Amino acid sequence: MKRNALQATGPTTVTEGDETLDDTFDALADPDCRAILGAADTAMTTSELADACDIALSTAYRKVERLSETPLLVEGVRFDPDGDHAAEYTRGATDAAIELGDDGVTLTVDDSASDPVSAAFDTTSVSAD
């Protein structure tokens, strides 16, 4: 049984002096991290992401850990009836905006278009009957 990863609620903003800002830009500069973000449009385990991105599993673990420290990737749990639960990841952002101002750089990452409750009601195979 598969459960979608939890999503953050609303935009996340990071500014100069916030370590997350540098971590996010560093992750976006990494081609493997960008590939993982591209593949993570649906919840996937690290192993599934490694296969989808054609990268070594050890590399995928490092990159997923790096991305999980940013607002770009969200961790959830894939429940298994046999008790073999696994971490799964999904893209935590659908939009990002960079603002340059007097106080430096501000990055706002927005996930509002990926609301899991709305997505559940948009699923054609779900019926209230």
Side-chain angles (χ1 to χ4, degrees):
M1 177 165 63
K2 190 172 180 180
R3 188 187 122 206
N4 286 335
L6 299 175
Q7 299 289 323
T9 55
T12 300
T13 301
V14 291
T15 58
E16 289 290 338
D18 185 342
E19 190 176 309
T20 305
L21 180 67
D22 291 337
D23 292 344
T24 303
F25 283 133
D26 287 345
L28 287 171
D30 185 305
D32 291 333
C33 288
R34 290 193 308 268
I36 288 170
L37 288 172
D41 59 336
T42 61
M44 300 174 94
T45 65
T46 304
S47 177
E48 292 167 342
L49 287 166
D51 289 344
C53 299
D54 195 28
I55 58 177
L57 184 58
S58 60
T59 300
Y61 274 108
R62 284 194 318 275
K63 304 302 178 166
V64 164
E65 182 177 339
R66 181 181 196 180
L67 284 164
S68 294
E69 295 172 355
T70 73
L72 301 173
L73 196 69
V74 178
E75 182 177 350
V77 177
R78 181 176 297 177
F79 292 101
D80 185 307
D82 297 329
D84 296 327
H85 309 311
E88 61 181 15
Y89 302 89
T90 189
R91 191 172 37 231
T94 55
D95 194 21
I98 300 170
E99 203 173 313
L100 305 173
D102 294 337
D103 295 332
V105 176
T106 301
L107 173 66
T108 302
V109 178
D110 191 1
D111 70 336
S112 59
S114 62
D115 176 24
V117 175
S118 297
F121 288 110
D122 290 340
T123 304
T124 56
S125 62
V126 175
S127 173
D129 294 331

